[in-house]
Amino acid sequence: MRNKLLVLGKENILLSLRRLLRRACIPYKYTFISTWRCNSRCRICGVWKIYRDNPDLLQRELSTDEVLRIVTGIGGRLLWLNVTGGEPLLREEIDTIICKAYKRCRNFSLLNIPTNGIATARTVSVFDEITSRCAELFTYASLSVDGLGARQDELRGVEGCFDRVMETYARLLGLGRRNMKVFFQITISRDNLADIPDLVRFVKKEGIPYFINIAHEMRIFHNQESGIDVRGYAAETTELLRQLENEFRFWPYDELLPRVFLRLARLFVTGGASPISCSALEATATIDPYGEVFPCPFLDTPIGSLRECNYDILSLLGRHSVREAARRMKRCRRCWQSCEAYPAIVQNIPQAIRAFFKAGHP
């Protein structure tokens, strides 16, 4: 299997050298918002309303051929791919896209797909196809769970949601793939602060790996002014984060990163801003369903359209205006979401260490 630690370690060193030499840094992690379609009706997210209210927008989504042209252009620069949505598995041929990306991008080592896990047969089929055809690609399958039983159904707006997710989890484990880790993604919001302790006790009892995210109000979620952002409940959220941090060890690394994330999340919640520099456009970039490129999923203004530059993303990212934008992004402190926070921690280890001790012990 392609060694993910060695690949990311090498990339971290190369990016640091390019920074010292004041050379342009091309991202190695890409977030692809595969579709805005969604079969959940979550309280904390309004994405599912996009095509309900504007059905004609669906026709604007990139075709499979267009996506593959973009992937081919990234080539060896793709190390880590985060496929999200909407519900990313509602995208037709998403397994075909990923398998072809694996063949065309020699350094493609890490894949993460967050899914609601509602459509069990579809979910298992996609991950079965990817993990069987991409033997050297390590895949993280994260199932969104925010409450137990009827609370999950209520929070996600789908009857029977919790039972379906548990079935999906069991069937994914049943594939027995060594190149896949299946875990729960738990998002703390205003609506489930009181549910989290019982949920964490349940997943620990069942031996289910998990990680924690915190709710934001942002463009990508189409939930502005919804009131779910945890910064509005700083005292309760900070105390909960203290408790959760102790559930993760300092090693192995897939527990260390969540622990650092949670410790620094306390600074974000109490201070209202990310405690370390952003690595967007240096380590990461985001492509939306229509081929618009953004520094990260949370900003409103694209840096360009791939349909207008012959799908050549490296050329787009190499523009002087984009490199200037990358320098400005270092000062951005708007979010503390795992998809951008984890690369930022890896790229800014000295800052992360200082912030970790600044936050103090749990």
Side-chain angles (χ1 to χ4, degrees):
M1 189 177 298
R2 297 171 184 173
N3 191 306
K4 48 190 180 295
L5 275 179
L6 288 178
V7 170
L8 290 176
K10 175 185 174 183
E11 191 59 37
N12 189 28
I13 293 170
L14 290 175
L15 274 180
S16 298
L17 288 174
R18 294 185 74 86
R19 281 176 173 172
L20 288 173
L21 297 171
R22 298 184 180 277
R23 301 287 298 277
C25 300
I26 301 298
Y28 62 83
K29 181 189 181 223
Y30 293 82
T31 291
F32 174 42
I33 304 172
S34 65
T35 182
W36 287 129
R37 284 174 286 178
C38 191
N39 50 355
S40 289
R41 298 293 181 264
C42 302
R43 283 187 182 181
I44 65 172
C45 177
V47 166
W48 57 272
K49 300 176 184 177
I50 295 175
Y51 293 147
R52 182 200 68 179
D53 297 341
N54 299 281
D56 291 344
L57 287 177
L58 179 59
Q59 306 306 314
R60 291 180 51 203
E61 290 194 353
L62 294 164
S63 68
T64 296
D65 287 344
E66 287 178 303
V67 175
L68 291 175
R69 287 181 67 181
I70 296 166
V71 165
T72 301
I74 300 174
R77 292 302 309 158
L78 175 62
L79 280 71
W80 183 356
L81 180 63
N82 176 42
V83 181
T84 186
E87 168 49 47
L89 302 188
L90 291 180
R91 163 88 198 204
E92 293 85 356
E93 299 187 298
I94 191 62
D95 46 356
T96 299
I97 289 170
I98 291 168
C99 292
K100 289 190 176 181
Y102 174 74
K103 289 184 177 181
R104 298 181 187 188
C105 304
R106 65 185 182 278
N107 293 318
F108 184 16
S109 305
L110 290 172
L111 170 68
N112 179 59
I113 306 180
T115 173
N116 58 36
I118 293 173
T120 298
R122 169 68 175 166
T123 304
V124 174
S125 173
V126 169
F127 282 107
D128 183 24
E129 182 75 3
I130 293 169
T131 54
S132 62
R133 292 178 57 188
C134 308
E136 299 295 312
L137 176 65
F138 197 88
T139 297
Y140 291 96
S142 56
L143 306 177
S144 298
V145 179
D146 298 332
L148 288 173
R151 278 295 287 158
Q152 167 79 353
D153 300 358
E154 181 184 355
L155 291 165
R156 291 280 164 174
V158 177
E159 186 177 352
C161 179
F162 183 78
D163 290 340
R164 294 191 216 175
V165 173
M166 291 303 296
E167 180 186 357
T168 299
Y169 176 76
R171 289 185 57 184
L172 287 174
L173 281 189
L175 294 176
R177 297 290 157 71
R178 296 181 60 187
N179 59 340
M180 178 172 67
K181 182 173 182 178
V182 187
F183 56 97
F184 281 5
Q185 174 175 301
I186 300 171
T187 300
I188 302 172
S189 74
R190 171 200 64 190
D191 293 340
N192 71 344
L193 276 166
D195 298 292
I196 298 298
D198 286 343
L199 176 56
V200 169
R201 279 191 288 271
F202 170 80
V203 297
K204 287 179 62 182
K205 179 182 176 182
E206 297 296 321
I208 301 171
Y210 69 97
F211 78 96
I212 305 292
N213 228 330
I214 54 179
H216 291 53
E217 294 174 31
M218 286 188 165
R219 177 196 70 87
I220 185 176
F221 303 122
H222 294 261
N223 64 355
Q224 296 93 325
E225 301 181 4
S226 64
I228 57 87
D229 195 305
V230 291
R231 282 172 289 185
Y233 308 84
E236 303 97 312
T237 303
T238 300
E239 179 55 34
L240 179 59
L241 291 171
R242 286 182 190 276
Q243 298 170 21
L244 293 171
E245 182 191 332
N246 284 323
E247 303 296 335
F248 294 90
R249 298 172 294 175
F250 284 101
W251 197 254
Y253 76 95
D254 55 0
E255 290 202 37
L256 173 62
L257 271 177
R259 181 164 190 150
V260 174
F261 172 84
L262 290 170
R263 174 79 67 93
L264 272 57
R266 287 195 272 128
L267 295 177
F268 175 77
V269 171
T270 56
S274 167
I276 63 176
S277 298
C278 180
S279 61
L281 290 181
E282 282 199 343
T284 67
T286 295
I287 305 165
D288 82 357
Y290 314 125
E292 300 289 318
V293 180
F294 293 80
C296 76
F298 309 110
L299 296 184
D300 301 329
T301 305
I303 59 172
S305 169
L306 291 169
R307 282 173 165 157
E308 294 175 2
C309 64
N310 201 30
Y311 307 96
D312 187 349
I313 190 169
L314 297 188
S315 173
L316 174 62
L317 292 170
R319 291 177 182 174
H320 178 73
S321 60
V322 175
R323 302 325 314 152
E324 288 297 315
R327 283 186 274 274
R328 293 194 298 272
M329 286 304 302
K330 292 180 183 179
R331 301 189 294 273
C332 183
R333 298 290 191 273
R334 288 183 57 182
C335 81
W336 192 246
Q337 283 269 306
S338 59
C339 59
E340 294 297 320
Y342 282 20
I345 291 168
V346 172
Q347 291 301 128
N348 299 285
I349 291 175
Q351 282 187 38
I353 292 172
R354 288 195 296 270
F356 187 85
F357 287 104
K358 178 182 176 180
H361 296 292

